[in-house]
Structure formats: structure tokens, C-alpha cells
Amino acid sequence: MKTIFSVFSVVVLALILGCGGTTDVEELRRLGKEAFANQDYAGAREYLLKAIATHPSDKDLLYFTGVAYRRDYMFDSALFYLKRADILYPKDRELNLEIYEIAQALGQWDNAIASLYVIGETGDGLKKHYAKLSELWGKNEHPANAFYWMQKAMEENPDEPDYFMKAAHLAVICVSPDSAISILDSAMRAFGDKEVLLANKATYLVYKEDFVGAEKILRGLVAGDTAVAEFKLNLANVLSSQENRAKQTEALDLFRTIKDRVNPAFNLDSVITALEDKLQ
């Protein structure tokens, strides 16, 4: 009798242990999602990966596996499973919302851009994403595409001066300083002669070596706010770039005045020494 009971116990134990090793996909799915809901992401992955082994094209399994990896900050693995699902089920909004965030965390700008297109196309359009598309194309080292999307953001949001400044910056790279200045002039007609717009215009005038035009703007900015060391620094640089002894002497005085108020990276001590030697 004791022997029979022992055998029965072993059989029951084997059945209990066998439940943990189930290969039934729906049971594994249920257990995986249950673990996921309890924030046991490692446990969720264990169940879901077993299910994927026999059902490798199941979107639901691939999605939850990817998200379970993301929740544990295992971004490479997360992207692997989500992109696998994306290839099998293109244009899926939920998949691409996850891919978009993970790709940015990994600096995979191609994937981030592709996902953002899907997010826009499957949601409320691309208009609200113009500025972000510009940012991502810029990070992906495609300034022409960044400029294209920033122009669209500027046109769609005419009350946002920051978009005008970003478009002007990209115009210098992609088109010309004159194009950048034209964009800033449009901004000033819309928003007035804001300091930041004028300061940027002076910078682009320097790009085209219009030092006289830049000097005029910077003198106005310095007169309007004498406490801003950056305005004085820029004015001093513009003055020192002109072959005019009086202006270079004025630049030297300005450099000396602001030496202790600007970032040491500008290395003004060396600039001052070089200008002193030049003026001797």
C-alpha cells in the first residue's frame, strides 16, 4: 500500500511539474501576459519566447516580447522582436509607437523616422510631426531633408519664432546665408525685432563677410543691453575682423572688459595677446 501511494505521489508530482513546462501556445500566451501585468517582465519573456518558438509569426507574441524587453531597458532585444513584427505586419500603429521610442533611445534615426511616418499616417496626419521629422533628419545627418520639414513646420506654425530660427540655421547649410537672412527678415516682420532674431541675423551676415552690416546690428544690441557679454563678444569679433585700426583697438578694449565673463573655451587670453601684438 505504501508503495502504491509513493508511486501515486510521484505521478501527481510529475503532472504538477509538467504544467510549468507546457508547450500549449495559448496557455503560454496567457501566462506570459499574466506575468507582464504583474510587472514580472523576465518571467513574461520566458513564457512568450517558448510560444514564439512554435509560432514565430504571431504579432501579439512578438509585440509583448518586445515590450517586455523594453520595460527592462533591454532596447536592442526589444527592437529585434518589434521590428520582426513590423516586417510581417507593416504600418501597424502600436508596433511603430514602440519602435519610435526605442529607436530614439538607441540613436537609430532611420528606424525612428520610418516609425514616425507610420504614426502620422495612421493617426491624425503628419502636420503635427513636421518639426520632429526635421529634428530626426538632422540627427541622421541629412540637413536637406531637415530643412524641407522645418520649412513645412514654419509654414504650418507661423506663430512659432523658434521654427523660423531653425529653418534659417538649416538654410545656411543647405542654401546660402542670404536665404537664412531672408527667413529671419520674415520672422522680424511677423514678431518684431527680437534680440535673438537680430543676433542670429548678425551671425549670418558674418557668414557672408558683411562685417559692416553685422556691426550695425550688434552695436544696437550692445546699446540696448550692456549686461549681455555675448553681444559684446560678437561685436568685438566683428570689429577685430575688419582692417581698421580704430575698430581693432575698440575690439581689444571689449575683449579685455568681458574676459572674465565668458566661457574659458573662447580662450580670450590668447585672442587678446594676438591682437595686442598686431596693434603694436
Side-chain angles (χ1 to χ4, degrees):
M1 188 70 177
K2 182 177 180 181
T3 303
I4 295 172
F5 181 77
S6 299
V7 171
F8 178 74
S9 299
V10 170
V11 171
V12 171
L13 180 60
L15 289 171
I16 293 170
L17 292 173
C19 291
T22 180
T23 57
D24 179 76
V25 171
E26 293 311 313
E27 179 64 5
L28 289 169
R29 188 195 309 274
R30 184 189 69 77
L31 291 168
K33 287 186 175 183
E34 184 178 281
F36 186 95
N38 291 326
Q39 299 182 15
D40 176 11
Y41 303 119
R45 292 193 297 272
E46 184 177 347
Y47 291 119
L48 295 168
L49 288 170
K50 285 180 182 178
I52 287 173
T54 55
H55 284 65
S57 300
D58 188 301
K59 182 175 73 172
D60 187 54
L61 295 173
L62 292 169
Y63 172 81
F64 275 97
T65 300
V67 177
Y69 274 114
R70 182 191 174 190
R71 296 291 173 85
D72 280 339
Y73 303 97
M74 301 168 73
F75 295 133
D76 287 313
S77 296
L79 191 60
F80 173 81
Y81 286 98
L82 290 166
K83 283 297 293 181
R84 185 163 149 186
D86 183 50
I87 291 168
L88 294 168
Y89 306 93
K91 308 295 184 183
D92 183 276
R93 182 174 176 81
E94 292 305 314
L95 285 172
N96 279 277
L97 284 168
E98 292 290 335
I99 292 169
Y100 173 64
E101 298 295 339
I102 295 166
Q104 288 186 88
L106 291 171
Q108 294 196 13
W109 310 121
D110 283 337
N111 279 323
I113 291 164
S115 291
L116 189 54
Y117 283 131
V118 174
I119 291 166
E121 291 164 2
T122 58
D124 49 4
L126 280 177
K127 288 183 178 180
K128 66 184 290 185
H129 303 296
Y130 287 160
K132 188 64 180 182
L133 281 168
S134 175
E135 177 191 328
L136 292 174
W137 277 115
K139 288 179 176 179
N140 207 30
E141 299 182 2
H142 286 274
N145 288 352
F147 181 46
Y148 171 80
W149 288 109
M150 188 49 66
Q151 283 182 297
K152 293 184 77 66
M154 183 178 69
E155 292 162 6
E156 186 64 27
N157 302 273
D159 297 327
E160 180 51 72
D162 188 53
Y163 291 166
F164 283 79
M165 288 190 292
K166 289 178 178 177
H169 172 71
L170 291 163
V172 171
I173 300 169
C174 301
V175 188
S176 68
D178 283 330
S179 176
I181 290 167
S182 176
I183 291 170
L184 289 178
D185 284 342
S186 296
M188 284 187 276
R189 285 193 292 272
F191 309 112
D193 293 343
K194 293 179 176 292
E195 284 186 349
V196 66
L197 296 174
L198 287 166
N200 276 278
K201 182 174 180 177
T203 299
Y204 301 138
L205 287 169
V206 170
Y207 270 103
K208 57 182 291 188
E209 298 187 357
D210 182 356
F211 298 117
V212 173
E215 177 188 340
K216 182 179 179 181
I217 290 173
L218 290 166
R219 285 193 184 280
L221 291 172
V222 169
D225 193 344
T226 57
V228 181
E230 286 76 12
F231 292 160
K232 291 182 178 180
L233 175 63
N234 290 339
L235 176 58
N237 283 324
V238 166
L239 292 171
S240 66
S241 299
Q242 300 177 60
E243 291 302 323
N244 180 302
R245 186 175 180 83
K247 289 185 178 182
Q248 289 179 353
T249 301
E250 183 183 358
L252 181 58
D253 290 338
L254 283 169
F255 282 134
R256 287 169 173 164
T257 300
I258 62 173
K259 181 171 67 75
D260 297 325
R261 296 170 53 200
V262 299
N263 193 316
F266 288 113
N267 199 17
L268 286 193
D269 285 328
S270 296
V271 173
I272 290 168
T273 299
L275 195 51
E276 286 173 338
D277 291 343
K278 185 176 183 179
L279 291 169
Q280 281 181 355

